[in-house]
Amino acid sequence: MDKPILIDVLPGNISELISILEGTEWYEKSFHREAYNKYIKEYIEIFCTDTYFVLEYPYIDKVYRDSYYNYYGKKVNSYNRECIRVLLFAEEVMEDEFIIDVDKAQSKDMFRGFFVIRPTISQPIGRSMIHPSVLRMPEFVSCKVDFSVSLLGIELKSACFPHNRQNFEYYRCAESALWSIMEYFGSKYSEYKPILPSTIHSILRHQGFERQQPSEGLTYENISFVLKKVGLGSKVYDTKAVPSGLNMKNILADYVESGVPVICDVMCSDDDDKHMSHGVVVIGRTEMKSATDFDKNADWKENERKKDIVGGVKIIDHSYLLDKLVLVDDEEHYPYSISSFESPFNYENSVESDSKRANGNPWEIHYAIVPLYVKVYMDNVMARKVLDVVIGQSELFSYYRTLIRPKEALVRRICLTSSRSFKKNLLENSSLEEDVKGYLLGLAMPKLFWLGEFSSVRDFDQKLVETLVLLDATEAHATTPETVIAAVFPNKLYLAPGTPQRFEENRDFQLFNRYESNLRP
């Protein structure tokens, strides 16, 4: 093994970075210049120009080593076992080779993640954990997990969503998506643990009728089966079998707001009517569209809008205000890709040489595989039905139908959240009245529940909420009284049957801040 390297590279100095790598025996054996220029150089250019790079070699990467011992190490051609890790910083932290300014490196927002360069000519970029602030791309909110790495015994922390480019041999898009999902859940919750591609292959060993390597990808059934085997309650949605009145965008919007990463099987037919498929993970969104503008331009007499009038109340579903999705695509240089639901692969931020899958035919999301906590028995479709009952049949919404703004539309937002996160948010919510806050903080809740928020169009655009409905996610097919934990309306507080009433029947509550703890900037 040649000399270890731990050295920094100034922002924008790609030629210096190339020069350092070319001086290693590892580079000479693993790459040729054309492949390097195509992948590595372009990848470096996705970062902001003020990003500092620290190169660490040799680095043992757990995902590449898994591929090496189970696949590359069995080939006649020799593949190196070591990788190079490139750490990202907001400022220069190296005082000299192998000497780091510890206080500066550990200061807030200094460490921004890392990516791994692996010794494969095809797709040399491997695993990455990168905070979006160092990337040249628009702002967004998404699922993120806190993580830490060790460099010379120094603990460095940041937050991201895991990304790993497929190598087109040992694993492809579906395995990469599963790896990302379980790396996220395993790092965030003690009930789960990260998995490697070999674990996925082991789980599916008896599920198929052909060899597993080289990988030819997985079906949505395979993906769902793996999620079940690792302890998640997988729920599959088929765009052709979505319940009447709903569509795939409604479903995705609910889980995006819930902070639940969703594996989507995106499909297309080519000119010869051959089906192509690619798996991505939907993890977030950009800023919502204006509800005021939507209401102003909507024709509520059209058939498409008539179905949104429930119990005499005009409802604008939050999915209508969803502008752009944030995807994790393992064929893209960028670890986060931004596109619309209607054109999922027409990325706003993309490197020109990335696979565009552009043959003139549209790509559509056909399947959504949602990894849920096993005790979430009520999915978002059932939660929507219960909220429609609350709106359409219960006297609880008479306030909207008769007392205030009967012609003004309401924006409905639905998300799944944890009681722990919700109560933490309540405690910090200064806009909620203290007696109501105190009651909700002391209320017995399941670990996860569905949260329905209703706002006028003006209030929604200001991130304010008028009505809050809490639904028990452990109820699967219950009627409204058994499902509603509590609800705060503008003129009253509704409590589940059997709960002691501690508030006046008629009273004006203040507007309160929208719950936004599921997604992080």
Side-chain angles (χ1 to χ4, degrees), residues 26 43 63 67 76 113-114 137 171 186 212 214 217 232 273 305 343 405-406 440 455 466 473 484 502:
W26 178 91
Y43 187 80
V63 178
S67 301
V76 173
F114 70 89
M137 62 183 304
Y171 55 85
Q212 291 182 295
L232 287 159
D273 203 29
R305 293 280 75 82
S343 301
R405 303 188 299 274
L440 292 176
S455 311
E466 293 180 344
V484 178
R502 296 170 55 185

Side-chain angles (χ1 to χ4, degrees), residues 310-311 315 383-394 412:
V310 183
I315 300 296
R384 282 173 169 271
K385 288 181 180 179
V386 174
L387 285 175
D388 283 348
V389 171
V390 172
I391 298 170
Q393 298 179 10
S394 173
R412 173 182 58 194

Side-chain angles (χ1 to χ4, degrees), residues 91-223:
E91 297 179 17
E92 188 174 9
V93 296
M94 298 285 296
E95 295 180 344
D96 200 351
E97 191 172 3
F98 292 100
I99 300 177
I100 294 177
D101 184 334
V102 179
D103 292 336
K104 191 174 184 180
Q106 292 183 323
S107 60
K108 186 179 179 182
D109 297 331
M110 183 61 64
F111 176 60
R112 303 280 77 188
F114 70 89
F115 64 89
V116 173
I117 304 175
R118 59 195 178 193
T120 54
I121 293 176
S122 174
Q123 300 287 10
I125 296 297
R127 180 170 67 107
S128 66
M129 307 280 279
I130 300 173
H131 192 280
S133 62
V134 295
L135 300 170
R136 300 180 186 180
M137 62 183 304
E139 294 183 354
F140 61 87
V141 291
S142 69
C143 309
K144 288 188 182 69
V145 64
D146 296 320
F147 72 96
S148 64
V149 302
S150 178
L151 180 65
L152 296 182
I154 304 168
E155 186 180 30
L156 304 172
K157 297 180 180 180
S158 190
C160 74
F161 192 88
H163 181 265
N164 186 31
R165 295 197 71 168
Q166 62 173 295
N167 56 29
F168 293 107
E169 291 190 63
Y170 187 58
Y171 55 85
R172 297 183 72 91
C173 58
E175 292 97 325
S176 287
L178 282 167
W179 175 87
S180 293
I181 289 282
M182 293 315 301
E183 192 74 11
Y184 171 79
F185 278 104
S187 301
K188 192 170 185 178
Y189 304 107
S190 59
E191 297 95 324
Y192 311 105
K193 61 181 182 180
I195 61 175
L196 294 167
S198 62
T199 308
I200 298 170
H201 296 153
S202 179
I203 291 172
L204 295 173
R205 182 169 295 135
H206 302 296
Q207 295 294 310
F209 301 95
E210 290 187 330
R211 63 182 185 177
Q212 291 182 295
Q213 284 85 41
S215 175
E216 295 184 6
L218 306 177
T219 65
Y220 74 90
E221 294 99 335
N222 295 147
I223 296 171

Side-chain angles (χ1 to χ4, degrees), residues 209-277:
F209 301 95
E210 290 187 330
R211 63 182 185 177
Q212 291 182 295
Q213 284 85 41
S215 175
E216 295 184 6
L218 306 177
T219 65
Y220 74 90
E221 294 99 335
N222 295 147
I223 296 171
S224 182
F225 182 80
V226 171
L227 292 174
K228 279 182 57 183
K229 293 294 288 185
V230 297
L232 287 159
S234 179
K235 176 68 179 174
V236 178
Y237 296 91
D238 182 347
T239 191
K240 295 181 180 178
V242 171
S244 177
L246 295 178
N247 56 47
M248 187 63 81
K249 189 174 183 179
N250 299 145
I251 290 169
L252 271 183
D254 294 349
Y255 288 115
V256 165
E257 292 301 305
S258 303
V260 177
V262 180
I263 299 178
C264 290
D265 189 357
V266 190
M267 303 179 72
C268 173
S269 297
D270 63 14
D271 296 333
D272 298 323
D273 203 29
K274 294 180 180 179
H275 295 289
M276 297 176 287
S277 175

